[in-house]
């Protein structure tokens, strides 16, 4: 509930949040008071109700990312919690998947038990790799959720691993972030760099430097709703420089989107952006 209070201040200022709910006990697990836990989904509904009550900055509906590790006992409830249209509407959902789980999927070892849940009669019921993967696929086909995040891949690229493992992202998953870091994003429109049928790599290289300088300045100029957010943002200075207009650029260059030339172009552009941003 302290997290809900902090979230409400972020939403009031026009921001959004991302949460991993993996530390919460699964439904029907015993708690110290002698009762049992109501589970992850019940707490997500409380967060969702708060978000509905506070439109972000009074201008738009707040957005949140809800994440659950693939080995959590509530994982099937989590995967299915938005089956009914309008349920938990303020959250995007992602399952945090490990390399180990993906290897089981690739090897089609559907019967391997990943975790367990406790049913209403206190029985411990196994949850298999196949049940989880089928649930993710059906949800993605039905309404685009849940998405997948890849914990080991994310943390192999975590340049600040000494501060901890990354377990969550911003509301739309552009940036995996440590606790209290802020999402600070900018996009470069690739379509604007196609001149007379050729791509202007030199102009893009120059503009990347300007964009990085600009986003870095945003960190210093931004008004943060909470002190700890400012402290962490000043400490790590995370920025996210992305792209838009890739398809439009390919059309102007007369390169098919689904071709090897299209893949090579995207790869070259993103390598240029990354190296020059660094």
């Amino acid at each position: 509930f302290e997290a809900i209070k902090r979230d409400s201040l972020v939403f009031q200022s026009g921001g959004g949040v991302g949460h991993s709910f993996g530390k919460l006990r699964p439904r029907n697990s015993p708690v110290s008071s002698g009762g049992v836990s109501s589970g992850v989904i019940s707490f997500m509904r409380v967060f969702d109700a708060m978000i509905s009550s506070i439109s972000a900055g009074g201008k738009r509906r707040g957005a949140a990312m809800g994440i659950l590790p693939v080995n959590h006992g509530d994982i099937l409830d989590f995967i299915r919690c938005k089956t009914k249209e309008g349920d938990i509407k303020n959250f995007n959902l992602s399952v945090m998947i490990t390399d180990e789980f993906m290897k089981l999927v690739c090897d089609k070892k559907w019967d391997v038990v990943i975790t367990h849940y406790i049913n209403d009669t206190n029985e411990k019921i196994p949850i298999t790799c196949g049940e989880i993967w089928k649930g993710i696929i059906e949800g993605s086909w039905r309404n685009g959720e849940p998405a997948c995040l890849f914990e080991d891949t994310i943390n192999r690229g975590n340049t600040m691993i000494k501060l901890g493992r990354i377990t969550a992202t911003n509301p739309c998953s552009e940036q995996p972030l440590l606790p209290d870091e802020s999402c600070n994003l900018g996009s470069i429109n690739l379509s604007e760099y196609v001149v007379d049928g050729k791509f202007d790599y030199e102009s893009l290289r120059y503009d990347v430097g300007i964009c990085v300088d600009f986003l870095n300045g945003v960190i210093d100029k931004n008004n943060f709703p909470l002190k700890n957010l400012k402290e962490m943002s000043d400490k790590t200075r995370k920025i996210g420089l992305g792209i838009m207009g890739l398809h439009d650029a390919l059309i102007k260059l007369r390169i098919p989107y689904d071709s090897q030339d299209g893949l090579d172009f995207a790869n070259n552009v993103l390598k240029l952006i990354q190296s020059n941003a660094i």
Side-chain angles (χ1 to χ4, degrees):
F1 283 93
E2 180 63 29
I4 289 175
K5 174 187 173 183
R6 293 175 59 199
D7 281 7
S8 67
L9 294 171
V10 172
F11 287 123
Q12 185 184 43
S13 71
V17 300
H19 284 298
S20 174
F21 291 95
K23 289 185 178 180
L24 294 177
R25 289 182 178 88
R27 185 165 57 93
N28 292 328
S29 299
V31 295
S32 58
S33 63
V36 296
S37 170
S38 58
V40 167
I41 307 307
S42 67
F43 284 100
M44 288 183 65
R45 292 189 188 281
V46 178
F47 278 80
D48 189 62
M50 178 275 293
I51 298 169
S52 291
S53 299
I54 303 175
S55 59
K59 299 171 185 175
R60 60 185 174 86
R61 195 183 75 191
M65 170 61 73
I67 296 166
L68 199 66
V70 71
N71 62 352
H72 193 281
D74 282 349
I75 190 62
L76 293 181
D77 289 344
F78 179 81
I79 288 169
R80 298 165 182 160
C81 72
K82 292 182 71 173
T83 301
K84 182 181 176 183
E85 188 68 30
D87 268 6
I88 313 186
K89 62 184 179 180
N90 298 299
F91 274 95
N92 296 318
L93 302 182
S94 288
V95 177
M96 187 64 88
I97 289 176
T98 60
D99 283 354
E100 181 182 9
F101 179 83
M102 283 311 300
K103 188 175 188 311
L104 293 174
V105 170
C106 293
D107 293 341
K108 298 184 179 179
K109 294 184 177 179
W110 308 123
D111 295 332
V112 173
V113 174
I114 303 300
T115 186
H116 294 79
Y117 73 92
I118 302 171
N119 67 15
D120 294 336
T121 58
N122 206 33
E123 294 176 287
K124 198 174 181 181
I125 310 298
I127 302 174
T128 65
C129 172
E131 289 178 286
I132 295 170
W133 191 243
K134 182 181 178 183
I136 292 171
I137 297 303
E138 287 182 345
S140 295
W141 172 80
R142 183 180 57 248
N143 63 1
E145 292 190 87
C148 294
L149 293 168
F150 301 97
E151 181 180 4
D152 296 304
T153 302
I154 286 169
N155 282 288
R156 277 192 289 271
N158 180 1
T159 58
M160 298 184 178
I161 194 69
K162 289 183 178 180
L163 296 179
R165 289 180 67 81
I166 291 174
T167 60
T169 72
N170 69 315
C172 295
S173 283
E174 294 99 337
Q175 274 189 289
L177 295 165
L178 292 164
D180 295 330
E181 287 186 319
S182 61
C183 163
N184 180 15
L185 303 176
S187 289
I188 294 176
N189 186 355
L190 298 182
S191 176
E192 296 298 314
Y193 293 89
V194 181
V195 181
D196 297 329
K198 294 183 179 180
F199 193 82
D200 188 349
Y201 286 95
E202 285 304 313
S203 291
L204 176 61
R205 182 178 287 108
Y206 177 79
D207 289 347
V208 166
I210 293 175
C211 291
V212 169
D213 192 39
F214 180 86
L215 289 170
N216 188 49
V218 168
I219 297 170
D220 296 321
K221 294 293 184 181
N222 193 22
N223 293 316
F224 293 91
L226 295 166
K227 181 182 177 182
N228 52 303
L229 302 185
K230 176 169 175 52
E231 289 174 350
M232 192 63 170
S233 296
D234 285 343
K235 182 177 183 179
T236 62
R237 306 195 71 84
K238 293 283 181 72
I239 64 171
L241 182 58
I243 63 169
M244 60 184 287
L246 171 61
H247 194 191
D248 291 335
L250 289 170
I251 289 171
K252 290 181 178 181
L253 293 168
R254 303 184 68 80
I255 299 174
Y257 187 85
D258 60 348
S259 67
Q260 187 59 49
D261 286 345
L263 289 171
D264 290 342
F265 171 77
N267 192 43
N268 291 336
V269 165
L270 289 169
K271 278 185 175 180
L272 182 150
I273 291 173
Q274 183 185 47
S275 63
N276 282 276
I278 290 169

